[in-house]
């Protein structure tokens, strides 16, 4: 279990060191227990020592403020590590000092940045995006009204009609031989 001094010390170390500091893996659970205990202490109005209740209440409020600042500083460092990993490809710096939640966020952010870089490269290279929303198709035969993947009624369409449809729906129609892509 942690106490107020432990939280203060963690923040102090996080504040004055550039690297992500190691904190216990059970920190969030321990802090939650700490808050629950302090909340019980401060809610006890029958306590005869009013000064100690006021002091506990103030310490409770300060602990929350320290926790918020600690998490904010760790988030900033985590974002910096994502930028470093994205630019250099080195992803393991301070990885062992991350909480499990932070590792998940880090991995998702790195993947998001990699995906963004790939999309930028596609645009710069002049290649089409793989996930185009709509495709232009030309119907080769009459097609009755049908329901698309979103549950909307589409059609009917007649032979020779040119239509801009959702890429997935267009692909199904082309695969079934009822239409052909215009731009291919």
């Amino acid at each position: 279990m942690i106490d107020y001094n432990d939280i203060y010390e963690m923040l102090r170390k996080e504040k004055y060191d550039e690297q992500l500091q190691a904190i216990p893996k059970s920190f969030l659970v321990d802090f939650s227990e700490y808050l629950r205990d302090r909340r019980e202490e401060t809610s006890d109005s029958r306590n005869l020592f009013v000064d100690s209740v006021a002091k506990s209440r103030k310490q409770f409020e300060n602990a929350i403020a320290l926790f918020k600042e600690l998490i904010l500083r760790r988030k900033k460092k985590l974002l910096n590590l994502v930028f470093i990993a994205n630019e250099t490809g080195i992803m393991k710096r301070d990885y062992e000092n991350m909480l499990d939640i932070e590792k998940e966020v880090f991995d998702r952010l790195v993947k998001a940045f990699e995906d963004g870089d790939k999309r930028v490269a596609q645009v710069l290279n002049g290649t089409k995006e793989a996930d185009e929303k709509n495709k232009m198709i030309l119907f080769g035969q009459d097609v009755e009204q049908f329901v698309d993947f979103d549950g909307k009624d589409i059609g009917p369409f007649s032979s020779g009609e040119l239509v801009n449809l959702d890429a997935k729906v267009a692909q199904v129609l082309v695969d079934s031989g009822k239409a052909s892509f215009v731009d291919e």
Side-chain angles (χ1 to χ4, degrees):
M1 174 118 167
I2 61 173
D3 62 10
Y4 180 82
N5 291 331
D6 293 334
I7 299 166
Y8 178 81
E9 195 59 30
M10 285 180 207
L11 175 61
R12 188 187 67 72
K13 286 179 182 176
E14 203 70 54
K15 210 183 238 187
Y16 295 110
D17 199 327
E18 188 178 309
Q19 289 188 332
L20 196 62
Q21 298 300 297
I23 59 176
K25 298 298 180 191
S26 63
F27 172 69
L28 295 175
V29 173
D30 293 343
F31 184 72
S32 174
E33 289 174 10
Y34 171 82
L35 288 180
R36 189 173 38 256
D37 292 346
R38 293 293 106 26
R39 200 173 283 131
E40 289 172 6
E41 279 181 21
T42 59
S43 67
D44 187 13
S45 60
R46 298 173 293 164
N47 198 337
L48 297 176
F49 302 103
V50 178
D51 287 342
S52 68
V53 171
K55 182 179 177 184
S56 273
R57 185 171 291 132
K58 187 63 177 171
Q59 194 174 58
F60 173 76
E61 292 168 358
N62 288 343
I64 291 173
L66 291 175
F67 175 79
K68 286 180 179 179
E69 187 176 350
L70 175 68
I71 295 301
L72 179 67
R73 289 187 180 278
R74 291 182 69 83
K75 283 179 183 178
K76 286 179 181 177
K77 289 180 181 182
L78 196 67
L79 283 174
N80 191 37
L81 291 172
V82 169
F83 288 128
I84 291 169
N86 187 50
E87 292 301 315
T88 64
I90 301 171
M91 294 180 32
K92 298 303 179 192
R93 180 175 170 225
D94 291 341
Y95 198 76
E96 65 278 352
N97 292 341
M98 293 180 197
L99 298 173
D100 291 338
I101 293 171
E102 292 171 331
K103 287 178 183 178
E104 288 176 31
V105 169
F106 176 80
D107 291 339
R108 282 190 282 182
L109 286 172
V110 167
K111 179 162 178 20
F113 273 83
E114 288 172 353
D115 291 346
D117 287 347
K118 285 178 187 173
R119 292 181 67 194
V120 167
Q122 285 177 340
V123 171
L124 293 176
N125 291 329
T127 57
K128 294 182 182 178
E129 287 189 34
D131 57 349
E132 289 184 45
K133 294 221 182 257
N134 291 328
K135 290 275 194 173
M136 187 69 74
I137 59 171
L138 177 65
F139 282 92
Q141 57 182 313
D142 293 343
V143 175
E144 298 291 322
Q145 184 175 8
F146 61 94
V147 178
D148 70 358
F149 294 112
D150 296 326
K152 296 181 213 160
D153 290 335
I154 297 180
F157 301 106
S158 57
S159 179
E161 194 171 346
L162 190 64
V163 181
N164 191 15
L165 291 177
D166 179 79
K168 292 178 186 175
V169 173
Q171 188 65 51
V172 169
L173 291 167
V174 169
D175 289 346
S176 66
K178 297 180 181 180
S180 60
F181 289 116
V182 173
D183 55 346
E184 294 180 351

